[in-house]
């Protein structure tokens, strides 16, 4: 199955979404006062852009590599340039490393946001229920 330009386009949409989400987080931080949990959430959010940029760059490399090694019109692989096993291994390794890093960062950002959002509600509920 060939993704064509879909992979880099989705990565570009992801990359463009990060500043929008970061801006929304900064707006929230300004409107909720000086809460250390919200501040931590905003600081973690600022670290997502490099991961999204890395995913975008790697998606372009994957797309370009697949395009260059695709078969010609007669179904014969193009002989002009064929990526070696080493290059493909490096691309796969980098893809996995950046993807795992991005997922871990998104998890940490979401977790810190949940802690900031539920801190007061959870402690009030636990107090009301005798906890």
């Amino acid at each position: 199955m060939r993704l064509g330009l879909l992979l880099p386009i989705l990565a570009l949409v992801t990359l463009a979404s990060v500043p929008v989400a970061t801006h929304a987080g900064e707006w929230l931080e300004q409107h909720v006062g000086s809460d250390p949990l919200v501040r931590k959430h905003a600081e973690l959010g600022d670290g997502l852009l490099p991961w999204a940029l890395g995913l975008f760059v790697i998606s372009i490399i994957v797309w370009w590599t697949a395009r260059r090694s695709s078969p010609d019109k007669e179904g014969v692989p193009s002989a002009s340039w064929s990526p070696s096993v080493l290059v493909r291994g490096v691309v796969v390794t980098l893809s996995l490393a950046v993807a795992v890093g991005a997922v871990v960062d998104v998890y940490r950002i979401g977790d810190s946001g949940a802690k900031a959002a539920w801190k007061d509600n959870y402690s009030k509920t636990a107090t009301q229920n005798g906890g």
Side-chain angles (χ1 to χ4, degrees):
M1 180 176 148
R2 293 189 45 193
L3 294 176
L5 280 174
L6 183 61
L7 181 64
I9 288 171
L10 288 174
L12 180 61
V13 169
T14 300
L15 178 61
S17 300
V18 171
V20 173
T22 303
H23 179 69
E26 289 169 355
W27 179 90
L28 176 66
E29 183 181 22
Q30 293 172 356
H31 287 81
V32 296
S34 181
D35 185 339
L37 291 176
V38 173
R39 233 183 355 261
K40 179 182 178 185
H41 176 65
E43 289 171 6
L44 287 172
D46 289 337
L48 187 58
L49 190 58
W51 292 111
L53 181 60
L55 286 172
F56 176 66
V57 168
I58 290 195
S59 72
I60 297 258
I61 291 169
V62 168
W63 169 76
W64 185 76
T65 302
R67 183 172 176 262
R68 299 293 293 170
S69 63
S70 64
D72 64 10
K73 292 177 185 171
E74 289 127 18
V76 179
S78 173
S80 63
W81 187 83
S82 179
S84 69
V85 173
L86 179 63
V87 171
R88 286 183 184 184
V90 168
V91 169
V92 167
T93 302
L94 284 175
S95 298
L96 289 173
V98 172
V100 167
V103 167
V104 168
D105 205 32
V106 167
Y107 174 83
R108 291 179 63 217
I109 293 165
D111 184 57
S112 69
K115 286 177 182 175
W118 288 98
K119 179 189 88 161
D120 291 333
N121 290 335
Y122 180 74
S123 60
K124 287 178 189 174
T125 304
T127 304
Q128 291 172 353
N129 291 333

